[in-house]
Amino acid sequence: MIASSGTNEPKDSRIPHDLQNEAMRAFDLLGGWKVMHRRVRSSLDAHDLIVEGLPSRALLHLVDGVHVLSTGDVLNKAIGMSLRTLQRRKAEASGKTLSMEQSSRAWRFAEIFAQATDVLGGQQAAEAWLLEPAIGLDNRRPIDLLATAAGAEAVEDYLTRMEYGVYT
């Protein structure tokens, strides 16, 4: 998982990985303090940030750190944005923000990816898992389910079952 290490980040906000909640881990994957210049310690903080719209730089940071997002149509399935649109935003180098929908989907992907990394033991395993059909998801690929809230919830539930050894 990607950890934020911005030099301007307040020292008291650096919490060991095992004590971080899902919101904090998603925040780190999206660039953390270095990209967003504010703290996120709870789901309510995350909600406020998502409603305002994540900076485009947060999605760029996520794509740079999670390599599977830059292959095929994975980014479009996960976030609802094509790679070409993301590249245009990068070229514009502006302070644009993502829509609330894109922000929400980026945040949810970051949470799911952090959970998959923990459950499967590493980032490479989590990236590979996203692209493979899963028996507990009716042989559907987890990435294909992230386009809807119901599908993302099914993926999260499956990861939780895997974590506790309940695969059916």
Side-chain angles (χ1 to χ4, degrees), residues 1-2 17 20-30 62 66 106-123 126-127 129-130 156 159 163:
M1 185 162 86
I2 303 166
H17 173 75
Q20 290 182 350
N21 62 32
E22 287 180 9
M24 294 168 69
R25 291 173 24 229
F27 178 69
D28 285 345
L29 279 167
L30 290 162
L62 183 66
V66 181
W107 192 274
R108 187 111 190 226
F109 176 84
E111 286 182 326
I112 289 171
F113 188 74
Q115 183 182 10
T117 300
D118 289 347
V119 170
L120 300 169
Q123 182 169 334
E127 289 188 37
W129 177 79
L130 284 170
E156 286 177 317
L159 282 167
E163 183 175 11

Side-chain angles (χ1 to χ4, degrees), residues 56 59-60 63 68-92 98-99 102 105-106:
S56 292
L59 185 54
L60 290 166
V63 171
V68 71
L69 286 173
S70 58
T71 61
D73 64 345
V74 173
L75 182 65
N76 195 32
K77 288 181 179 189
I79 312 299
M81 179 186 289
S82 70
L83 272 173
R84 181 65 191 121
T85 300
L86 183 64
Q87 291 166 348
R88 272 196 311 275
R89 286 200 178 199
K90 186 175 184 177
E92 292 170 358
L98 302 174
S99 69
Q102 290 167 334
R105 288 179 66 178

Side-chain angles (χ1 to χ4, degrees), residues 3-162:
S4 64
S5 59
T7 57
N8 296 331
E9 182 177 1
K11 290 181 182 179
D12 65 333
S13 69
R14 294 185 186 165
I15 298 172
H17 173 75
D18 57 334
L19 298 178
Q20 290 182 350
N21 62 32
E22 287 180 9
M24 294 168 69
R25 291 173 24 229
F27 178 69
D28 285 345
L29 279 167
L30 290 162
W33 178 267
K34 185 169 53 171
V35 171
M36 298 192 231
H37 307 291
R38 65 192 286 180
R39 295 179 191 200
V40 173
R41 292 186 174 194
S42 69
S43 295
L44 291 176
D45 291 342
H47 166 80
D48 294 341
L49 186 59
I50 290 165
V51 168
E52 292 171 16
L54 296 176
S56 292
R57 286 183 49 215
L59 185 54
L60 290 166
H61 190 273
L62 183 66
V63 171
D64 285 345
V66 181
H67 307 292
V68 71
L69 286 173
S70 58
T71 61
D73 64 345
V74 173
L75 182 65
N76 195 32
K77 288 181 179 189
I79 312 299
M81 179 186 289
S82 70
L83 272 173
R84 181 65 191 121
T85 300
L86 183 64
Q87 291 166 348
R88 272 196 311 275
R89 286 200 178 199
K90 186 175 184 177
E92 292 170 358
S94 67
K96 285 189 176 182
T97 59
L98 302 174
S99 69
M100 186 168 48
E101 175 68 21
Q102 290 167 334
S103 296
S104 182
R105 288 179 66 178
W107 192 274
R108 187 111 190 226
F109 176 84
E111 286 182 326
I112 289 171
F113 188 74
Q115 183 182 10
T117 300
D118 289 347
V119 170
L120 300 169
Q123 182 169 334
Q124 283 184 319
E127 289 188 37
W129 177 79
L130 284 170
L131 301 176
E132 295 297 322
I135 293 171
L137 296 171
D138 291 334
N139 285 321
R140 297 178 194 205
R141 298 182 328 157
I143 194 65
D144 294 332
L145 297 171
L146 297 182
T148 67
E153 186 176 333
V155 172
E156 286 177 317
D157 289 346
Y158 182 59
L159 282 167
T160 300
R161 290 193 321 263
M162 287 174 60

